[in-house]
Amino acid sequence: MLHLDEARHQALEALQRLLAGTPKSVKAVLIDDLFGHIRVVLWPGKRNGSKLIDQTREALQEAAGTYWSGEIWDASQAGESDRLVYDHAWEEAAGSEVLPRKLRLLLRHRNRGAWLSPLAEPPWSIPSRPTLKRPPIVAFYSFKGGVGRSTALAAFAIQQARQGERVVVVDADLDAPGVGSLLAADPEGTTANWGVLDYFLECPYDQVDLSEYYHACRREAVSGSGEILVFPTGRLDDDYLGKLARIDLEPPRPDEGPHPLHRLLQEIRAQLSPSWILVDVRAGLADPAGFILAGFAHLYVLFGTFSEPSWHGLRLVIQRLGAKRVQIGKPQADCLLVQAMVPRVTDPPGVAMTAFAERSLDEFTEHYYAAEGGEDLWTVDDVESSDAPHVPVPLLYNDQLAYFRTIDEVADLLAKSEDYRALAMRILSRFGKGA
C-alpha cells in the first residue's frame, strides 16, 4: 500500500530530478489538495515545454500512483486570470530545500491554517531595555495540559506587580480558559463580563471600548503596590460555544487588515501602557496556539515534561520557532524551556533534571540552533551559555498548589518560591532586567 505521505515525497523527488539542470525560467509547484490529490503547476520554459510536461505526467503517475490527479497546469499558456492564480500558488507555497528556486510544495488544508501559514513577527520591536511604550509580549505554552503553565504565568505576574509594575494578562486559551478566573478581580472570583472572544467578534464592526473586556486584579494580598489587568476569554455561559464556533483564527489576507489579536495587543500597548503583556496560550496544536506561535511574542516560555508525548509535541514547536525560521533567513523566535512537574523524590537526587537537560540539548541542537550565524541567531556555539534556550528551568511539583480556592491563598508562595523566582530571573534577563 502506498501512503499519501510516501506518494507526496516520491512525487517531489521525481520533480526534483526532472527540474535539475533545466533553464532558470523553469519551475513548478506541487499541490497536495484537500482530498489527497496531487497536481502540478508547471512553468516549462520556451524550449521543449511539451516534452517536459509529458515527462512530468509519466514520472508522477509512477511516483504517486492513485494519488496523482493527472492534472498539469501549464502556466506559460495560461490567460491573465489563470496566470494570477498560478503566480499566487507559487507565492503561497513553501520552498524546496533541494531546489528552492525551482520547486515548491503547496499543502491545501481545511483548518489549522495558523500552523501552516508564513511565519510572523511581533507587532512591535523592543529596545534592549523595554519601556512602557514598548512592553515585551511573553507567551506561555505547553504541548500537554496540566503542567502548571497558567500558574507559572500568574506567579510572574504577581512578582512583577509587587515591584509596582502594571502587568496585562491575556487569556488566549479559548478552548479551556482559566487564567482569567485564576487572577480574578476579587476573592469571590469576579471577572469581566466580556473578554477576548467577544473582542475578536466585535472589533471589526465598531470602535470598541477596551475597558469593557478586562478586569483589574488590584489588591494588596495579590498584586501588592502594582496591578494586574486581566483579559479573560469571556463568560462561559450558554452563548460561549456559539461565539467560539464563529471566530476565525486563520491568518488574514493582505487586503484584510490586521487580525483582531494584533489589534488587541496594539490597543493594550497604546491605552494601558503596561510593563508586560503575558499571553496564556492554548495547549496542543489548537488554532490559537499556532497563530501565536507563528512569531507574535518577543519570548516564548515553553513547558514540558520528560514524557515522550511531551517531547513529540515540543519538537514541532521548537522547529517552528527555530529551524523553520532559520531556513527562510529569519532569526529564531526567542524562547526558554521549563521542566514542569519535577518529582521531589528522585534516586539519585536530580536524575530527572539531568535526563531532561540532556534531552533538551539534543532536541534544540537538531531543531533550533543554527550551525553558524550573526548576533541575531542562537547557534551551536551558544550551547555552553547558562542562559541558552535549551537550558531548562526546573519547577518542582508542589502539593500546596494542587488545591487552593483563590489565588490570595498562594500568592505569597508564588511570589517567594525559589523555583518561580528563578524562572522570573530568566525571563527578566532576556530583556536586560533583573540583577
Side-chain angles (χ1 to χ4, degrees), residues 125-139:
S125 61
I126 55 174
S128 57
R129 282 189 173 270
T131 66
L132 298 182
K133 293 184 178 180
R134 292 178 180 268
I137 302 169
V138 183

PDB file of all heavy atoms in Angstrom, residues 125-139:
ATOM      1  N   SER A 125       8.769  46.102  17.770  1.00  0.00           N
ATOM      2  CA  SER A 125      10.089  45.714  18.261  1.00  0.00           C
ATOM      3  C   SER A 125      10.306  46.348  19.629  1.00  0.00           C
ATOM      4  O   SER A 125       9.619  47.303  20.002  1.00  0.00           O
ATOM      5  CB  SER A 125      11.176  46.164  17.280  1.00  0.00           C
ATOM      6  OG  SER A 125      11.153  47.576  17.153  1.00  0.00           O
ATOM      7  N   ILE A 126      11.259  45.811  20.359  1.00  0.00           N
ATOM      8  CA  ILE A 126      11.562  46.394  21.653  1.00  0.00           C
ATOM      9  C   ILE A 126      13.057  46.686  21.736  1.00  0.00           C
ATOM     10  O   ILE A 126      13.881  45.960  21.180  1.00  0.00           O
ATOM     11  CB  ILE A 126      11.139  45.470  22.809  1.00  0.00           C
ATOM     12  CG1 ILE A 126      11.775  44.084  22.668  1.00  0.00           C
ATOM     13  CG2 ILE A 126       9.631  45.344  22.891  1.00  0.00           C
ATOM     14  CD1 ILE A 126      11.507  43.188  23.848  1.00  0.00           C
ATOM     15  N   PRO A 127      13.433  47.743  22.423  1.00  0.00           N
ATOM     16  CA  PRO A 127      14.857  48.047  22.591  1.00  0.00           C
ATOM     17  C   PRO A 127      15.501  47.087  23.571  1.00  0.00           C
ATOM     18  O   PRO A 127      14.839  46.191  24.125  1.00  0.00           O
ATOM     19  CB  PRO A 127      14.830  49.487  23.146  1.00  0.00           C
ATOM     20  CG  PRO A 127      13.516  49.593  23.839  1.00  0.00           C
ATOM     21  CD  PRO A 127      12.562  48.738  23.056  1.00  0.00           C
ATOM     22  N   SER A 128      16.791  47.258  23.818  1.00  0.00           N
ATOM     23  CA  SER A 128      17.491  46.355  24.727  1.00  0.00           C
ATOM     24  C   SER A 128      16.894  46.392  26.123  1.00  0.00           C
ATOM     25  O   SER A 128      16.890  45.402  26.845  1.00  0.00           O
ATOM     26  CB  SER A 128      18.981  46.708  24.780  1.00  0.00           C
ATOM     27  OG  SER A 128      19.152  48.066  25.169  1.00  0.00           O
ATOM     28  N   ARG A 129      16.376  47.555  26.511  1.00  0.00           N
ATOM     29  CA  ARG A 129      15.641  47.659  27.769  1.00  0.00           C
ATOM     30  C   ARG A 129      14.245  48.171  27.460  1.00  0.00           C
ATOM     31  O   ARG A 129      14.081  49.316  27.057  1.00  0.00           O
ATOM     32  CB  ARG A 129      16.351  48.586  28.765  1.00  0.00           C
ATOM     33  CG  ARG A 129      17.533  47.919  29.459  1.00  0.00           C
ATOM     34  CD  ARG A 129      18.073  48.776  30.592  1.00  0.00           C
ATOM     35  NE  ARG A 129      19.090  48.056  31.333  1.00  0.00           N
ATOM     36  CZ  ARG A 129      18.851  47.279  32.383  1.00  0.00           C
ATOM     37  NH1 ARG A 129      17.609  47.142  32.814  1.00  0.00           N
ATOM     38  NH2 ARG A 129      19.816  46.650  33.009  1.00  0.00           N
ATOM     39  N   PRO A 130      13.237  47.332  27.622  1.00  0.00           N
ATOM     40  CA  PRO A 130      11.869  47.712  27.231  1.00  0.00           C
ATOM     41  C   PRO A 130      11.358  48.927  27.997  1.00  0.00           C
ATOM     42  O   PRO A 130      11.821  49.249  29.089  1.00  0.00           O
ATOM     43  CB  PRO A 130      11.056  46.459  27.587  1.00  0.00           C
ATOM     44  CG  PRO A 130      12.050  45.357  27.663  1.00  0.00           C
ATOM     45  CD  PRO A 130      13.321  45.967  28.136  1.00  0.00           C
ATOM     46  N   THR A 131      10.382  49.592  27.411  1.00  0.00           N
ATOM     47  CA  THR A 131       9.742  50.744  28.026  1.00  0.00           C
ATOM     48  C   THR A 131       8.236  50.485  28.072  1.00  0.00           C
ATOM     49  O   THR A 131       7.732  49.516  27.513  1.00  0.00           O
ATOM     50  CB  THR A 131      10.012  52.020  27.216  1.00  0.00           C
ATOM     51  OG1 THR A 131       9.371  51.891  25.927  1.00  0.00           O
ATOM     52  CG2 THR A 131      11.500  52.230  26.995  1.00  0.00           C
ATOM     53  N   LEU A 132       7.511  51.408  28.749  1.00  0.00           N
ATOM     54  CA  LEU A 132       6.063  51.268  28.806  1.00  0.00           C
ATOM     55  C   LEU A 132       5.442  51.398  27.429  1.00  0.00           C
ATOM     56  O   LEU A 132       4.356  50.871  27.177  1.00  0.00           O
ATOM     57  CB  LEU A 132       5.471  52.316  29.757  1.00  0.00           C
ATOM     58  CG  LEU A 132       5.910  52.215  31.221  1.00  0.00           C
ATOM     59  CD1 LEU A 132       5.214  53.284  32.050  1.00  0.00           C
ATOM     60  CD2 LEU A 132       5.622  50.841  31.796  1.00  0.00           C
ATOM     61  N   LYS A 133       6.111  52.108  26.529  1.00  0.00           N
ATOM     62  CA  LYS A 133       5.597  52.256  25.173  1.00  0.00           C
ATOM     63  C   LYS A 133       5.900  51.029  24.316  1.00  0.00           C
ATOM     64  O   LYS A 133       5.270  50.836  23.281  1.00  0.00           O
ATOM     65  CB  LYS A 133       6.187  53.504  24.521  1.00  0.00           C
ATOM     66  CG  LYS A 133       5.715  54.814  25.159  1.00  0.00           C
ATOM     67  CD  LYS A 133       6.265  56.011  24.414  1.00  0.00           C
ATOM     68  CE  LYS A 133       5.751  57.319  25.017  1.00  0.00           C
ATOM     69  NZ  LYS A 133       6.261  58.516  24.306  1.00  0.00           N
ATOM     70  N   ARG A 134       6.840  50.213  24.742  1.00  0.00           N
ATOM     71  CA  ARG A 134       7.206  49.003  24.001  1.00  0.00           C
ATOM     72  C   ARG A 134       7.386  47.843  24.982  1.00  0.00           C
ATOM     73  O   ARG A 134       8.500  47.377  25.216  1.00  0.00           O
ATOM     74  CB  ARG A 134       8.479  49.227  23.186  1.00  0.00           C
ATOM     75  CG  ARG A 134       8.313  50.211  22.040  1.00  0.00           C
ATOM     76  CD  ARG A 134       9.631  50.414  21.293  1.00  0.00           C
ATOM     77  NE  ARG A 134       9.481  51.351  20.201  1.00  0.00           N
ATOM     78  CZ  ARG A 134       9.186  51.001  18.955  1.00  0.00           C
ATOM     79  NH1 ARG A 134       9.011  49.734  18.662  1.00  0.00           N
ATOM     80  NH2 ARG A 134       9.069  51.908  18.006  1.00  0.00           N
ATOM     81  N   PRO A 135       6.301  47.374  25.574  1.00  0.00           N
ATOM     82  CA  PRO A 135       6.419  46.289  26.557  1.00  0.00           C
ATOM     83  C   PRO A 135       6.685  44.948  25.887  1.00  0.00           C
ATOM     84  O   PRO A 135       6.205  44.694  24.782  1.00  0.00           O
ATOM     85  CB  PRO A 135       5.045  46.301  27.232  1.00  0.00           C
ATOM     86  CG  PRO A 135       4.118  46.792  26.163  1.00  0.00           C
ATOM     87  CD  PRO A 135       4.904  47.821  25.385  1.00  0.00           C
ATOM     88  N   PRO A 136       7.411  44.060  26.545  1.00  0.00           N
ATOM     89  CA  PRO A 136       7.596  42.712  25.988  1.00  0.00           C
ATOM     90  C   PRO A 136       6.285  41.931  26.005  1.00  0.00           C
ATOM     91  O   PRO A 136       5.490  42.035  26.938  1.00  0.00           O
ATOM     92  CB  PRO A 136       8.625  42.072  26.923  1.00  0.00           C
ATOM     93  CG  PRO A 136       9.217  43.189  27.706  1.00  0.00           C
ATOM     94  CD  PRO A 136       8.177  44.251  27.788  1.00  0.00           C
ATOM     95  N   ILE A 137       6.079  41.151  24.956  1.00  0.00           N
ATOM     96  CA  ILE A 137       4.980  40.177  24.913  1.00  0.00           C
ATOM     97  C   ILE A 137       5.602  38.814  25.205  1.00  0.00           C
ATOM     98  O   ILE A 137       6.467  38.343  24.463  1.00  0.00           O
ATOM     99  CB  ILE A 137       4.302  40.164  23.537  1.00  0.00           C
ATOM    100  CG1 ILE A 137       3.754  41.545  23.178  1.00  0.00           C
ATOM    101  CG2 ILE A 137       3.180  39.123  23.512  1.00  0.00           C
ATOM    102  CD1 ILE A 137       3.304  41.662  21.730  1.00  0.00           C
ATOM    103  N   VAL A 138       5.165  38.193  26.293  1.00  0.00           N
ATOM    104  CA  VAL A 138       5.708  36.898  26.704  1.00  0.00           C
ATOM    105  C   VAL A 138       4.572  35.883  26.655  1.00  0.00           C
ATOM    106  O   VAL A 138       3.549  36.047  27.327  1.00  0.00           O
ATOM    107  CB  VAL A 138       6.312  36.950  28.117  1.00  0.00           C
ATOM    108  CG1 VAL A 138       6.926  35.601  28.481  1.00  0.00           C
ATOM    109  CG2 VAL A 138       7.367  38.057  28.207  1.00  0.00           C
ATOM    110  N   ALA A 139       4.729  34.843  25.846  1.00  0.00           N
ATOM    111  CA  ALA A 139       3.704  33.815  25.678  1.00  0.00           C
ATOM    112  C   ALA A 139       4.104  32.562  26.445  1.00  0.00           C
ATOM    113  O   ALA A 139       5.253  32.107  26.353  1.00  0.00           O
ATOM    114  CB  ALA A 139       3.507  33.492  24.202  1.00  0.00           C
TER     115      ALA A 139
END
